Amino acid sequence: MKRRLHSPVLLLAALAVAVTAESGLAQIAPRQAGSGPAPAVTVAPPRMPAVVDANNLYSETASGRMSAAVSGALERVYVPNLKSNDVYVIDPATFKVVDRFRVGVNPQHVVPSWDLRTLWVANNAEGRTDGALTPIDPKTGKPGKPKPVNDPYNMYFTPDGSSAIVVAEALKRLDFRDPQTMALQSSLPTPQCDGINHADFAIDGSYAIFTCEFEGGLVKIDPVNRKVLGYLKLSKGGMPQDIRVSPDGKLFYVADMMANGVFVVNGENFTEIGFIATGVGTHGLYPSRDGKKLYITNRGSNKIHGSPHGKGSVSVLDFATRKVEATWPIPGGGSPDMGNVSADGKLLWVSGRYDNVVYAIDTTSGSVRTIRVGTEPHGLTVWPQPGRYSLGHTGNMR
């Protein structure tokens, strides 16, 4: 029987943003908690880049807004194959595999670094002690020497870039590490978050919400003071997966593989406010380049180890109306899982987890091209992507 999760009510005042002329960085006033049972103060990371558009936090990830940091990067799709312990490299211009190389054990996600200069393959070596992060140079597409890291299922970065946050799923904790050397800075236990794995951040960076896959809930953390702010049990949640914040920063959408849809959560007071049905095995969430739509992958199975040719599909949600406006089935069945949107916004690239393929899905028509890859592909990334910095995962860009 699962432990019951308790959720402190956190009533936070409104965000205030001012940009200084000298630094160009966001100066965010501390937000005081209300008179609830667990008073708290959360503070934005002191050197987080400025929020350019408070109505659309994805404004700087629009097509064409490429950072100078990605100049010279090869246009590639990097596909980690969980069971064959390798990465396939696809040329998106030809839709062909142009390279492959061995990495560590159980590569889960390919994660762009905060400074956009390195891609990290998270090899969590599930059930073993030889986990590692393998760096890839985006300018050559080649791997470097792996860094030994304990249980790196996924990885994020604090919004100011001062720390990498390694998601040690099996250990129920977050490890804050140096973003270059990966030396351990500190660890944050999350004992009531079994299966901690995916995350997104508040618009001002003052808190993050992580999903708890095997608890059917969420955990809210303060990344500056590195503490747990509370837990939330979702009403009918069975297996929450990916999570993404709305363009205005007010709501969080939580994909749930057992509930077959997305929960809508108010991030400030950490309460569930709605549910939207999508498809079987709801899994990954990817905003469109204009910040108006959310592409939702439905893996086609409620099982962790599903069968090929399932009822996989992609749902398209309109952020403004919170309505699903289209659903694109995978022809012949499939298992769309994790990935991201192309730099120009025209294709959604996602792994076909149980079918050993990658799908390139046209974001206008929903038509699908399929590329054969290794065994059990997971969190692929498209590179380069627009944006000023990466918060992690497969390219949570801001």
Side-chain angles (χ1 to χ4, degrees), residues 253-283:
Y253 292 83
V254 183
D256 193 296
M257 200 166 84
M258 296 295 288
N260 298 328
V262 293
F263 291 95
V264 185
V265 171
N266 181 306
E268 293 296 303
N269 58 30
F270 204 28
T271 57
E272 178 188 328
I273 64 170
F275 177 80
I276 304 165
T278 58
V280 178
T282 310
H283 197 77

PDB file of all heavy atoms in Angstrom, residues 253-283:
ATOM      1  N   TYR A 253       1.383  21.228 -16.168  1.00  0.00           N
ATOM      2  CA  TYR A 253       0.699  20.090 -16.776  1.00  0.00           C
ATOM      3  C   TYR A 253       1.516  18.834 -16.484  1.00  0.00           C
ATOM      4  O   TYR A 253       2.733  18.800 -16.706  1.00  0.00           O
ATOM      5  CB  TYR A 253       0.549  20.293 -18.282  1.00  0.00           C
ATOM      6  CG  TYR A 253      -0.404  21.417 -18.634  1.00  0.00           C
ATOM      7  CD1 TYR A 253       0.025  22.744 -18.641  1.00  0.00           C
ATOM      8  CD2 TYR A 253      -1.737  21.151 -18.950  1.00  0.00           C
ATOM      9  CE1 TYR A 253      -0.856  23.785 -18.949  1.00  0.00           C
ATOM     10  CE2 TYR A 253      -2.621  22.183 -19.268  1.00  0.00           C
ATOM     11  CZ  TYR A 253      -2.169  23.489 -19.258  1.00  0.00           C
ATOM     12  OH  TYR A 253      -3.040  24.506 -19.563  1.00  0.00           O
ATOM     13  N   VAL A 254       0.844  17.800 -15.968  1.00  0.00           N
ATOM     14  CA  VAL A 254       1.517  16.583 -15.525  1.00  0.00           C
ATOM     15  C   VAL A 254       0.974  15.394 -16.303  1.00  0.00           C
ATOM     16  O   VAL A 254      -0.205  15.045 -16.182  1.00  0.00           O
ATOM     17  CB  VAL A 254       1.306  16.351 -14.018  1.00  0.00           C
ATOM     18  CG1 VAL A 254       2.070  15.110 -13.562  1.00  0.00           C
ATOM     19  CG2 VAL A 254       1.727  17.582 -13.213  1.00  0.00           C
ATOM     20  N   ALA A 255       1.824  14.773 -17.113  1.00  0.00           N
ATOM     21  CA  ALA A 255       1.420  13.585 -17.866  1.00  0.00           C
ATOM     22  C   ALA A 255       1.364  12.384 -16.931  1.00  0.00           C
ATOM     23  O   ALA A 255       2.283  12.175 -16.128  1.00  0.00           O
ATOM     24  CB  ALA A 255       2.408  13.318 -18.998  1.00  0.00           C
ATOM     25  N   ASP A 256       0.300  11.589 -17.023  1.00  0.00           N
ATOM     26  CA  ASP A 256       0.169  10.410 -16.176  1.00  0.00           C
ATOM     27  C   ASP A 256      -0.125   9.186 -17.036  1.00  0.00           C
ATOM     28  O   ASP A 256      -1.156   9.114 -17.706  1.00  0.00           O
ATOM     29  CB  ASP A 256      -0.928  10.598 -15.132  1.00  0.00           C
ATOM     30  CG  ASP A 256      -0.872   9.533 -14.050  1.00  0.00           C
ATOM     31  OD1 ASP A 256      -1.066   8.349 -14.378  1.00  0.00           O
ATOM     32  OD2 ASP A 256      -0.617   9.889 -12.889  1.00  0.00           O
ATOM     33  N   MET A 257       0.794   8.222 -16.998  1.00  0.00           N
ATOM     34  CA  MET A 257       0.728   7.060 -17.872  1.00  0.00           C
ATOM     35  C   MET A 257      -0.401   6.106 -17.514  1.00  0.00           C
ATOM     36  O   MET A 257      -0.899   5.371 -18.368  1.00  0.00           O
ATOM     37  CB  MET A 257       2.065   6.319 -17.829  1.00  0.00           C
ATOM     38  CG  MET A 257       2.310   5.393 -19.008  1.00  0.00           C
ATOM     39  SD  MET A 257       4.037   4.893 -19.106  1.00  0.00           S
ATOM     40  CE  MET A 257       4.052   3.530 -17.963  1.00  0.00           C
ATOM     41  N   MET A 258      -0.836   6.125 -16.255  1.00  0.00           N
ATOM     42  CA  MET A 258      -1.944   5.263 -15.854  1.00  0.00           C
ATOM     43  C   MET A 258      -3.291   5.949 -15.993  1.00  0.00           C
ATOM     44  O   MET A 258      -4.305   5.302 -16.278  1.00  0.00           O
ATOM     45  CB  MET A 258      -1.743   4.804 -14.408  1.00  0.00           C
ATOM     46  CG  MET A 258      -0.518   3.933 -14.188  1.00  0.00           C
ATOM     47  SD  MET A 258      -0.588   2.345 -15.043  1.00  0.00           S
ATOM     48  CE  MET A 258      -1.827   1.504 -14.070  1.00  0.00           C
ATOM     49  N   ALA A 259      -3.320   7.254 -15.789  1.00  0.00           N
ATOM     50  CA  ALA A 259      -4.575   8.001 -15.866  1.00  0.00           C
ATOM     51  C   ALA A 259      -4.965   8.337 -17.303  1.00  0.00           C
ATOM     52  O   ALA A 259      -6.082   8.791 -17.557  1.00  0.00           O
ATOM     53  CB  ALA A 259      -4.472   9.282 -15.043  1.00  0.00           C
ATOM     54  N   ASN A 260      -4.031   8.167 -18.255  1.00  0.00           N
ATOM     55  CA  ASN A 260      -4.294   8.421 -19.676  1.00  0.00           C
ATOM     56  C   ASN A 260      -4.671   9.883 -19.953  1.00  0.00           C
ATOM     57  O   ASN A 260      -5.634  10.181 -20.647  1.00  0.00           O
ATOM     58  CB  ASN A 260      -5.398   7.498 -20.198  1.00  0.00           C
ATOM     59  CG  ASN A 260      -5.016   6.032 -20.114  1.00  0.00           C
ATOM     60  OD1 ASN A 260      -3.853   5.674 -20.248  1.00  0.00           O
ATOM     61  ND2 ASN A 260      -6.000   5.177 -19.875  1.00  0.00           N
ATOM     62  N   GLY A 261      -3.891  10.774 -19.368  1.00  0.00           N
ATOM     63  CA  GLY A 261      -4.141  12.192 -19.590  1.00  0.00           C
ATOM     64  C   GLY A 261      -3.194  13.046 -18.773  1.00  0.00           C
ATOM     65  O   GLY A 261      -2.220  12.544 -18.192  1.00  0.00           O
ATOM     66  N   VAL A 262      -3.500  14.344 -18.698  1.00  0.00           N
ATOM     67  CA  VAL A 262      -2.656  15.274 -17.964  1.00  0.00           C
ATOM     68  C   VAL A 262      -3.447  15.931 -16.829  1.00  0.00           C
ATOM     69  O   VAL A 262      -4.597  16.345 -17.009  1.00  0.00           O
ATOM     70  CB  VAL A 262      -2.047  16.357 -18.885  1.00  0.00           C
ATOM     71  CG1 VAL A 262      -1.058  15.747 -19.864  1.00  0.00           C
ATOM     72  CG2 VAL A 262      -3.108  17.123 -19.644  1.00  0.00           C
ATOM     73  N   PHE A 263      -2.826  15.993 -15.674  1.00  0.00           N
ATOM     74  CA  PHE A 263      -3.367  16.751 -14.559  1.00  0.00           C
ATOM     75  C   PHE A 263      -2.922  18.201 -14.704  1.00  0.00           C
ATOM     76  O   PHE A 263      -1.837  18.487 -15.218  1.00  0.00           O
ATOM     77  CB  PHE A 263      -2.862  16.197 -13.223  1.00  0.00           C
ATOM     78  CG  PHE A 263      -3.419  14.846 -12.889  1.00  0.00           C
ATOM     79  CD1 PHE A 263      -2.720  13.686 -13.191  1.00  0.00           C
ATOM     80  CD2 PHE A 263      -4.651  14.738 -12.250  1.00  0.00           C
ATOM     81  CE1 PHE A 263      -3.243  12.447 -12.881  1.00  0.00           C
ATOM     82  CE2 PHE A 263      -5.180  13.500 -11.938  1.00  0.00           C
ATOM     83  CZ  PHE A 263      -4.472  12.352 -12.252  1.00  0.00           C
ATOM     84  N   VAL A 264      -3.759  19.115 -14.238  1.00  0.00           N
ATOM     85  CA  VAL A 264      -3.428  20.535 -14.233  1.00  0.00           C
ATOM     86  C   VAL A 264      -3.253  20.945 -12.775  1.00  0.00           C
ATOM     87  O   VAL A 264      -4.141  20.737 -11.945  1.00  0.00           O
ATOM     88  CB  VAL A 264      -4.526  21.379 -14.908  1.00  0.00           C
ATOM     89  CG1 VAL A 264      -4.094  22.842 -14.988  1.00  0.00           C
ATOM     90  CG2 VAL A 264      -4.829  20.835 -16.305  1.00  0.00           C
ATOM     91  N   VAL A 265      -2.092  21.530 -12.460  1.00  0.00           N
ATOM     92  CA  VAL A 265      -1.739  21.859 -11.085  1.00  0.00           C
ATOM     93  C   VAL A 265      -1.390  23.338 -10.980  1.00  0.00           C
ATOM     94  O   VAL A 265      -0.647  23.866 -11.810  1.00  0.00           O
ATOM     95  CB  VAL A 265      -0.542  20.995 -10.615  1.00  0.00           C
ATOM     96  CG1 VAL A 265      -0.011  21.459  -9.266  1.00  0.00           C
ATOM     97  CG2 VAL A 265      -0.942  19.517 -10.564  1.00  0.00           C
ATOM     98  N   ASN A 266      -1.959  23.998  -9.971  1.00  0.00           N
ATOM     99  CA  ASN A 266      -1.563  25.365  -9.646  1.00  0.00           C
ATOM    100  C   ASN A 266      -0.242  25.281  -8.890  1.00  0.00           C
ATOM    101  O   ASN A 266      -0.174  24.706  -7.801  1.00  0.00           O
ATOM    102  CB  ASN A 266      -2.638  26.036  -8.788  1.00  0.00           C
ATOM    103  CG  ASN A 266      -2.305  27.475  -8.439  1.00  0.00           C
ATOM    104  OD1 ASN A 266      -1.243  27.763  -7.912  1.00  0.00           O
ATOM    105  ND2 ASN A 266      -3.231  28.381  -8.717  1.00  0.00           N
ATOM    106  N   GLY A 267       0.820  25.848  -9.470  1.00  0.00           N
ATOM    107  CA  GLY A 267       2.132  25.711  -8.872  1.00  0.00           C
ATOM    108  C   GLY A 267       2.319  26.502  -7.603  1.00  0.00           C
ATOM    109  O   GLY A 267       3.033  26.068  -6.683  1.00  0.00           O
ATOM    110  N   GLU A 268       1.693  27.672  -7.510  1.00  0.00           N
ATOM    111  CA  GLU A 268       1.906  28.536  -6.351  1.00  0.00           C
ATOM    112  C   GLU A 268       1.368  27.918  -5.065  1.00  0.00           C
ATOM    113  O   GLU A 268       2.080  27.809  -4.071  1.00  0.00           O
ATOM    114  CB  GLU A 268       1.254  29.905  -6.589  1.00  0.00           C
ATOM    115  CG  GLU A 268       1.927  30.714  -7.698  1.00  0.00           C
ATOM    116  CD  GLU A 268       3.350  31.086  -7.356  1.00  0.00           C
ATOM    117  OE1 GLU A 268       3.546  31.727  -6.306  1.00  0.00           O
ATOM    118  OE2 GLU A 268       4.260  30.734  -8.102  1.00  0.00           O
ATOM    119  N   ASN A 269       0.085  27.516  -5.081  1.00  0.00           N
ATOM    120  CA  ASN A 269      -0.458  26.919  -3.853  1.00  0.00           C
ATOM    121  C   ASN A 269      -0.420  25.398  -3.876  1.00  0.00           C
ATOM    122  O   ASN A 269      -0.876  24.746  -2.941  1.00  0.00           O
ATOM    123  CB  ASN A 269      -1.880  27.416  -3.576  1.00  0.00           C
ATOM    124  CG  ASN A 269      -2.845  27.121  -4.714  1.00  0.00           C
ATOM    125  OD1 ASN A 269      -2.691  26.144  -5.434  1.00  0.00           O
ATOM    126  ND2 ASN A 269      -3.848  27.971  -4.884  1.00  0.00           N
ATOM    127  N   PHE A 270       0.161  24.836  -4.952  1.00  0.00           N
ATOM    128  CA  PHE A 270       0.428  23.408  -5.054  1.00  0.00           C
ATOM    129  C   PHE A 270      -0.833  22.587  -4.843  1.00  0.00           C
ATOM    130  O   PHE A 270      -0.929  21.742  -3.954  1.00  0.00           O
ATOM    131  CB  PHE A 270       1.521  23.015  -4.060  1.00  0.00           C
ATOM    132  CG  PHE A 270       2.282  21.766  -4.434  1.00  0.00           C
ATOM    133  CD1 PHE A 270       2.441  21.385  -5.756  1.00  0.00           C
ATOM    134  CD2 PHE A 270       2.871  20.969  -3.450  1.00  0.00           C
ATOM    135  CE1 PHE A 270       3.160  20.254  -6.100  1.00  0.00           C
ATOM    136  CE2 PHE A 270       3.589  19.822  -3.772  1.00  0.00           C
ATOM    137  CZ  PHE A 270       3.727  19.466  -5.103  1.00  0.00           C
ATOM    138  N   THR A 271      -1.819  22.841  -5.714  1.00  0.00           N
ATOM    139  CA  THR A 271      -3.079  22.112  -5.672  1.00  0.00           C
ATOM    140  C   THR A 271      -3.457  21.646  -7.065  1.00  0.00           C
ATOM    141  O   THR A 271      -3.179  22.314  -8.065  1.00  0.00           O
ATOM    142  CB  THR A 271      -4.223  22.990  -5.121  1.00  0.00           C
ATOM    143  OG1 THR A 271      -4.338  24.167  -5.923  1.00  0.00           O
ATOM    144  CG2 THR A 271      -3.979  23.380  -3.678  1.00  0.00           C
ATOM    145  N   GLU A 272      -4.104  20.507  -7.125  1.00  0.00           N
ATOM    146  CA  GLU A 272      -4.633  19.999  -8.390  1.00  0.00           C
ATOM    147  C   GLU A 272      -5.923  20.728  -8.717  1.00  0.00           C
ATOM    148  O   GLU A 272      -6.812  20.839  -7.871  1.00  0.00           O
ATOM    149  CB  GLU A 272      -4.899  18.497  -8.258  1.00  0.00           C
ATOM    150  CG  GLU A 272      -5.507  17.863  -9.497  1.00  0.00           C
ATOM    151  CD  GLU A 272      -5.939  16.423  -9.241  1.00  0.00           C
ATOM    152  OE1 GLU A 272      -5.282  15.730  -8.426  1.00  0.00           O
ATOM    153  OE2 GLU A 272      -6.955  16.004  -9.835  1.00  0.00           O
ATOM    154  N   ILE A 273      -6.047  21.232  -9.962  1.00  0.00           N
ATOM    155  CA  ILE A 273      -7.257  21.976 -10.326  1.00  0.00           C
ATOM    156  C   ILE A 273      -8.003  21.384 -11.514  1.00  0.00           C
ATOM    157  O   ILE A 273      -9.080  21.862 -11.857  1.00  0.00           O
ATOM    158  CB  ILE A 273      -6.938  23.456 -10.619  1.00  0.00           C
ATOM    159  CG1 ILE A 273      -6.030  23.597 -11.841  1.00  0.00           C
ATOM    160  CG2 ILE A 273      -6.316  24.128  -9.402  1.00  0.00           C
ATOM    161  CD1 ILE A 273      -5.895  25.034 -12.313  1.00  0.00           C
ATOM    162  N   GLY A 274      -7.453  20.339 -12.162  1.00  0.00           N
ATOM    163  CA  GLY A 274      -8.164  19.776 -13.292  1.00  0.00           C
ATOM    164  C   GLY A 274      -7.455  18.571 -13.884  1.00  0.00           C
ATOM    165  O   GLY A 274      -6.342  18.209 -13.476  1.00  0.00           O
ATOM    166  N   PHE A 275      -8.145  17.934 -14.836  1.00  0.00           N
ATOM    167  CA  PHE A 275      -7.596  16.782 -15.547  1.00  0.00           C
ATOM    168  C   PHE A 275      -8.102  16.810 -16.981  1.00  0.00           C
ATOM    169  O   PHE A 275      -9.268  17.140 -17.233  1.00  0.00           O
ATOM    170  CB  PHE A 275      -8.014  15.470 -14.874  1.00  0.00           C
ATOM    171  CG  PHE A 275      -7.530  14.247 -15.606  1.00  0.00           C
ATOM    172  CD1 PHE A 275      -6.225  13.812 -15.452  1.00  0.00           C
ATOM    173  CD2 PHE A 275      -8.370  13.546 -16.466  1.00  0.00           C
ATOM    174  CE1 PHE A 275      -5.759  12.687 -16.132  1.00  0.00           C
ATOM    175  CE2 PHE A 275      -7.917  12.423 -17.152  1.00  0.00           C
ATOM    176  CZ  PHE A 275      -6.603  12.000 -16.981  1.00  0.00           C
ATOM    177  N   ILE A 276      -7.218  16.479 -17.932  1.00  0.00           N
ATOM    178  CA  ILE A 276      -7.563  16.469 -19.355  1.00  0.00           C
ATOM    179  C   ILE A 276      -7.207  15.104 -19.927  1.00  0.00           C
ATOM    180  O   ILE A 276      -6.032  14.709 -19.924  1.00  0.00           O
ATOM    181  CB  ILE A 276      -6.807  17.578 -20.122  1.00  0.00           C
ATOM    182  CG1 ILE A 276      -7.084  18.950 -19.498  1.00  0.00           C
ATOM    183  CG2 ILE A 276      -7.189  17.574 -21.598  1.00  0.00           C
ATOM    184  CD1 ILE A 276      -6.113  20.027 -19.941  1.00  0.00           C
ATOM    185  N   ALA A 277      -8.198  14.373 -20.411  1.00  0.00           N
ATOM    186  CA  ALA A 277      -7.945  13.072 -21.024  1.00  0.00           C
ATOM    187  C   ALA A 277      -7.259  13.261 -22.374  1.00  0.00           C
ATOM    188  O   ALA A 277      -7.609  14.171 -23.137  1.00  0.00           O
ATOM    189  CB  ALA A 277      -9.255  12.315 -21.199  1.00  0.00           C
ATOM    190  N   THR A 278      -6.284  12.399 -22.678  1.00  0.00           N
ATOM    191  CA  THR A 278      -5.574  12.510 -23.960  1.00  0.00           C
ATOM    192  C   THR A 278      -5.549  11.174 -24.695  1.00  0.00           C
ATOM    193  O   THR A 278      -6.251  10.988 -25.674  1.00  0.00           O
ATOM    194  CB  THR A 278      -4.145  13.046 -23.746  1.00  0.00           C
ATOM    195  OG1 THR A 278      -3.433  12.183 -22.859  1.00  0.00           O
ATOM    196  CG2 THR A 278      -4.175  14.455 -23.189  1.00  0.00           C
ATOM    197  N   GLY A 279      -4.786  10.214 -24.215  1.00  0.00           N
ATOM    198  CA  GLY A 279      -4.691   8.919 -24.894  1.00  0.00           C
ATOM    199  C   GLY A 279      -4.085   7.894 -23.963  1.00  0.00           C
ATOM    200  O   GLY A 279      -3.810   8.165 -22.792  1.00  0.00           O
ATOM    201  N   VAL A 280      -3.837   6.708 -24.481  1.00  0.00           N
ATOM    202  CA  VAL A 280      -3.341   5.600 -23.666  1.00  0.00           C
ATOM    203  C   VAL A 280      -1.856   5.805 -23.338  1.00  0.00           C
ATOM    204  O   VAL A 280      -1.036   6.004 -24.224  1.00  0.00           O
ATOM    205  CB  VAL A 280      -3.538   4.257 -24.395  1.00  0.00           C
ATOM    206  CG1 VAL A 280      -2.973   3.113 -23.559  1.00  0.00           C
ATOM    207  CG2 VAL A 280      -5.004   4.023 -24.706  1.00  0.00           C
ATOM    208  N   GLY A 281      -1.530   5.783 -22.056  1.00  0.00           N
ATOM    209  CA  GLY A 281      -0.129   5.840 -21.643  1.00  0.00           C
ATOM    210  C   GLY A 281       0.511   7.204 -21.810  1.00  0.00           C
ATOM    211  O   GLY A 281       1.632   7.318 -22.312  1.00  0.00           O
ATOM    212  N   THR A 282      -0.153   8.261 -21.356  1.00  0.00           N
ATOM    213  CA  THR A 282       0.336   9.630 -21.526  1.00  0.00           C
ATOM    214  C   THR A 282       1.723   9.782 -20.895  1.00  0.00           C
ATOM    215  O   THR A 282       1.943   9.387 -19.753  1.00  0.00           O
ATOM    216  CB  THR A 282      -0.650  10.623 -20.899  1.00  0.00           C
ATOM    217  OG1 THR A 282      -1.966  10.313 -21.377  1.00  0.00           O
ATOM    218  CG2 THR A 282      -0.300  12.040 -21.265  1.00  0.00           C
ATOM    219  N   HIS A 283       2.645  10.393 -21.657  1.00  0.00           N
ATOM    220  CA  HIS A 283       4.032  10.316 -21.206  1.00  0.00           C
ATOM    221  C   HIS A 283       4.837  11.615 -21.320  1.00  0.00           C
ATOM    222  O   HIS A 283       5.313  12.137 -20.333  1.00  0.00           O
ATOM    223  CB  HIS A 283       4.750   9.211 -21.983  1.00  0.00           C
ATOM    224  CG  HIS A 283       6.019   8.759 -21.348  1.00  0.00           C
ATOM    225  ND1 HIS A 283       6.049   7.927 -20.262  1.00  0.00           N
ATOM    226  CD2 HIS A 283       7.314   9.037 -21.638  1.00  0.00           C
ATOM    227  CE1 HIS A 283       7.308   7.702 -19.891  1.00  0.00           C
ATOM    228  NE2 HIS A 283       8.097   8.376 -20.712  1.00  0.00           N
TER     229      HIS A 283
END
